[in-house]
Coordinates of all heavy atoms in Angstrom, one line a residue:
A73 N -42.0 288.0 80.8 CA -42.2 287.4 82.1 C -41.0 287.4 82.9 O -41.0 287.6 84.2 CB -42.7 285.9 81.9
Y74 N -39.8 287.3 82.3 CA -38.5 287.2 83.0 C -38.3 288.5 83.7 O -37.8 288.6 84.8 CB -37.4 286.9 82.1 CG -36.0 286.7 82.7 CD1 -35.7 285.5 83.4 CD2 -35.2 287.8 82.8 CE1 -34.5 285.4 84.0 CE2 -34.0 287.6 83.4 CZ -33.6 286.4 84.1 OH -32.5 286.3 84.8
L75 N -38.6 289.6 83.0 CA -38.4 290.9 83.6 C -39.2 291.1 85.0 O -38.7 291.6 86.0 CB -38.8 292.1 82.7 CG -37.7 292.3 81.5 CD1 -38.4 293.3 80.6 CD2 -36.4 292.8 82.1
A76 N -40.5 290.5 84.9 CA -41.3 290.6 86.1 C -40.7 289.7 87.2 O -40.8 290.0 88.4 CB -42.7 290.3 85.8
L77 N -40.3 288.6 86.7 CA -39.7 287.6 87.7 C -38.4 288.2 88.4 O -38.2 288.1 89.7 CB -39.3 286.3 86.9 CG -38.4 285.3 87.8 CD1 -39.2 284.7 88.9 CD2 -37.8 284.2 86.8
A78 N -37.5 288.8 87.6 CA -36.4 289.5 88.1 C -36.7 290.6 89.2 O -36.0 290.6 90.2 CB -35.4 290.0 87.0
A79 N -37.7 291.2 88.9 CA -38.1 292.3 89.8 C -38.7 291.7 91.1 O -38.5 292.2 92.2 CB -39.2 293.2 89.1
A80 N -39.5 290.5 91.0 CA -39.9 289.9 92.2 C -38.8 289.4 93.0 O -39.0 289.4 94.3 CB -40.8 288.7 91.7
C81 N -37.7 289.0 92.5 CA -36.6 288.4 93.2 C -35.7 289.5 93.8 O -35.0 289.2 94.8 CB -35.7 287.6 92.3 SG -36.5 286.1 91.5
A82 N -35.8 290.7 93.4 CA -34.8 291.8 93.6 C -34.6 292.0 95.1 O -33.6 292.3 95.6 CB -35.2 293.0 93.0
A83 N -35.7 292.0 95.9 CA -35.6 292.3 97.3 C -35.5 291.1 98.2 O -35.5 291.2 99.4 CB -36.9 293.1 97.7
D84 N -35.3 289.9 97.6 CA -35.2 288.7 98.4 C -33.8 288.0 98.1 O -33.6 287.4 97.0 CB -36.3 287.8 98.0 CG -36.4 286.5 98.9 OD1 -35.4 286.1 99.5 OD2 -37.5 285.9 99.0
P85 N -32.9 288.2 99.0 CA -31.5 287.6 98.7 C -31.4 286.1 98.6 O -30.5 285.6 98.0 CB -30.7 288.1 100.0 CG -31.7 288.3 101.1 CD -33.0 288.8 100.4
A86 N -32.5 285.4 99.1 CA -32.5 283.9 98.8 C -33.2 283.4 97.6 O -33.4 282.3 97.5 CB -33.1 283.3 100.2
W87 N -33.7 284.3 96.9 CA -34.5 284.0 95.7 C -33.8 284.6 94.5 O -33.7 285.9 94.5 CB -36.0 284.5 95.8 CG -36.9 284.2 94.6 CD1 -36.7 283.3 93.7 CD2 -38.2 284.8 94.5 NE1 -37.7 283.3 92.9 CE2 -38.8 284.1 93.3 CE3 -39.0 285.6 95.2 CZ2 -39.9 284.5 92.8 CZ3 -40.2 286.0 94.7 CH2 -40.7 285.3 93.5
T88 N -33.4 283.7 93.6 CA -32.7 284.2 92.4 C -33.4 283.8 91.1 O -33.8 282.7 90.9 CB -31.3 283.5 92.4 OG1 -30.6 283.9 93.7 CG2 -30.4 284.0 91.3
A89 N -33.3 284.7 90.2 CA -33.7 284.5 88.8 C -32.5 283.9 88.1 O -31.6 284.7 87.9 CB -34.3 285.6 88.1
A90 N -32.5 282.7 87.6 CA -31.4 282.2 86.9 C -31.4 282.9 85.5 O -32.4 283.5 85.1 CB -31.6 280.6 86.6
P91 N -30.3 282.9 84.8 CA -30.2 283.5 83.4 C -31.3 282.9 82.6 O -31.7 281.8 82.7 CB -28.8 283.0 83.0 CG -28.0 282.9 84.2 CD -28.9 282.4 85.1
R92 N -32.0 283.9 81.8 CA -33.2 283.5 81.1 C -33.0 282.3 80.1 O -32.2 282.4 79.2 CB -33.6 284.8 80.3 CG -35.0 284.6 79.6 CD -35.3 285.8 78.9 NE -34.5 286.3 77.8 CZ -34.5 285.9 76.6 NH1 -35.5 285.0 76.3 NH2 -33.7 286.4 75.7
T93 N -33.8 281.3 80.3 CA -33.7 280.2 79.5 C -35.0 279.2 79.7 O -35.5 279.2 80.8 CB -32.4 279.3 79.7 OG1 -32.3 278.3 78.8 CG2 -32.4 278.7 81.1
A94 N -35.2 278.5 78.7 CA -36.1 277.3 78.9 C -35.4 276.2 79.3 O -34.1 276.2 79.2 CB -36.8 277.0 77.5
V95 N -36.1 275.2 79.9 CA -35.3 274.0 80.4 C -35.9 272.8 79.6 O -37.2 272.6 79.5 CB -35.6 273.9 81.8 CG1 -34.8 272.6 82.4 CG2 -35.0 275.0 82.6
G96 N -35.1 271.9 79.1 CA -35.6 270.8 78.4 C -34.6 269.6 78.2 O -33.7 269.5 79.1
A97 N -34.6 268.9 77.2 CA -33.8 267.6 77.1 C -32.5 267.8 76.4 O -31.6 267.0 76.4 CB -34.5 266.5 76.2
E98 N -32.2 269.0 75.8 CA -30.9 269.3 75.2 C -30.6 270.9 75.3 O -31.5 271.7 75.6 CB -31.0 268.8 73.8 CG -32.1 269.4 73.0 CD -32.3 268.7 71.6 OE1 -31.9 267.5 71.5 OE2 -32.7 269.5 70.6
D99 N -29.4 271.2 74.9 CA -29.0 272.6 74.9 C -29.1 273.2 73.5 O -29.0 272.4 72.5 CB -27.5 272.7 75.4 CG -27.3 272.1 76.8 OD1 -28.2 272.2 77.6 OD2 -26.2 271.6 77.0
G100 N -29.5 274.4 73.4 CA -29.7 275.1 72.2 C -30.6 276.2 72.1 O -30.7 277.0 73.1
T101 N -31.5 276.3 71.1 CA -32.6 277.2 71.1 C -33.9 276.5 70.7 O -33.8 275.4 70.1 CB -32.3 278.4 70.0 OG1 -32.1 277.8 68.8 CG2 -31.1 279.2 70.4
I102 N -35.0 277.1 71.0 CA -36.3 276.5 70.7 C -37.3 277.6 70.6 O -37.1 278.6 71.2 CB -36.6 275.4 71.8 CG1 -37.7 274.4 71.3 CG2 -37.0 276.2 73.1 CD1 -37.8 273.2 72.2
E103 N -38.4 277.2 69.9 CA -39.5 278.2 69.8 C -40.6 277.9 70.8 O -41.0 276.7 71.0 CB -40.1 278.2 68.4 CG -39.4 279.1 67.4 CD -40.4 279.3 66.2 OE1 -41.3 278.6 65.9 OE2 -40.0 280.4 65.5
I104 N -41.0 278.9 71.5 CA -42.2 278.8 72.5 C -43.4 279.5 71.8 O -43.3 280.7 71.4 CB -41.7 279.4 73.8 CG1 -40.8 278.5 74.5 CG2 -42.9 279.5 74.7 CD1 -40.4 278.8 75.9
N105 N -44.5 278.9 72.0 CA -45.7 279.5 71.6 C -46.2 280.4 72.8 O -46.3 279.9 73.9 CB -46.9 278.4 71.4 CG -46.5 277.5 70.3 OD1 -46.5 277.9 69.1 ND2 -46.3 276.3 70.6
V106 N -46.4 281.7 72.6 CA -46.7 282.6 73.7 C -48.3 282.8 73.8 O -48.9 283.0 72.8 CB -46.1 284.0 73.3 CG1 -46.4 285.0 74.5 CG2 -44.6 283.9 73.1
A107 N -48.7 282.4 74.9 CA -50.1 282.5 75.3 C -50.6 283.9 75.7 O -49.8 284.8 76.2 CB -50.5 281.5 76.5
G108 N -51.9 284.2 75.5 CA -52.5 285.4 75.8 C -52.4 285.7 77.3 O -52.3 286.9 77.7
N109 N -52.5 284.7 78.1 CA -52.2 284.9 79.6 C -50.8 284.7 80.0 O -50.6 284.6 81.3 CB -53.2 284.0 80.3 CG -52.9 282.5 80.1 OD1 -52.0 282.1 79.3 ND2 -53.5 281.7 80.9
S110 N -49.8 284.4 79.1 CA -48.5 284.2 79.5 C -48.2 282.9 80.1 O -47.4 282.1 79.7 CB -47.8 285.4 80.3 OG -46.5 285.2 80.6
A111 N -49.0 282.6 81.3 CA -48.7 281.4 82.0 C -48.9 280.1 81.2 O -48.4 279.0 81.6 CB -49.5 281.4 83.3
S112 N -49.8 280.1 80.2 CA -50.0 278.9 79.4 C -49.1 278.7 78.3 O -49.4 277.9 77.5 CB -51.5 278.9 79.0 OG -52.4 278.9 80.1
S113 N -48.1 279.6 78.1 CA -47.2 279.4 77.0 C -46.5 278.1 77.1 O -46.2 277.6 78.2 CB -46.1 280.6 77.0 OG -46.8 281.8 77.1
S114 N -46.2 277.5 75.9 CA -45.6 276.2 75.8 C -44.8 276.0 74.6 O -45.1 276.5 73.6 CB -46.7 275.1 75.9 OG -46.2 273.8 75.8
V115 N -43.8 275.1 74.6 CA -43.2 274.6 73.4 C -44.2 273.8 72.5 O -44.1 273.9 71.3 CB -42.0 273.7 73.8 CG1 -41.4 273.0 72.6 CG2 -40.9 274.5 74.5
L116 N -45.1 273.2 73.2 CA -46.1 272.3 72.5 C -47.2 273.1 71.9 O -47.7 274.2 72.5 CB -46.6 271.2 73.4 CG -45.5 270.4 74.0 CD1 -46.2 269.4 75.0 CD2 -44.7 269.7 73.0
D117 N -47.9 272.5 70.9 CA -49.2 273.3 70.4 C -50.3 273.1 71.4 O -50.4 271.9 71.8 CB -49.6 272.6 69.0 CG -48.5 273.0 67.9 OD1 -47.9 274.1 68.0 OD2 -48.4 272.2 67.0
M118 N -51.1 274.1 71.5 CA -52.3 274.0 72.4 C -53.4 273.2 71.7 O -53.7 273.5 70.5 CB -52.6 275.3 72.9 CG -53.8 275.3 73.9 SD -54.3 277.0 74.4 CE -52.8 277.5 75.3

Side-chain angles (χ1 to χ4, degrees):
Y74 184 83
L75 287 175
L77 171 66
C81 298
D84 188 335
W87 181 11
T88 303
R92 183 174 66 84
T93 187
V95 180
E98 55 189 32
D99 303 327
T101 59
I102 200 165
E103 275 200 337
I104 289 188
N105 299 293
V106 181
N109 67 350
S110 180
S112 297
S113 302
S114 176
V115 172
L116 306 179
D117 292 333
M118 184 182 291

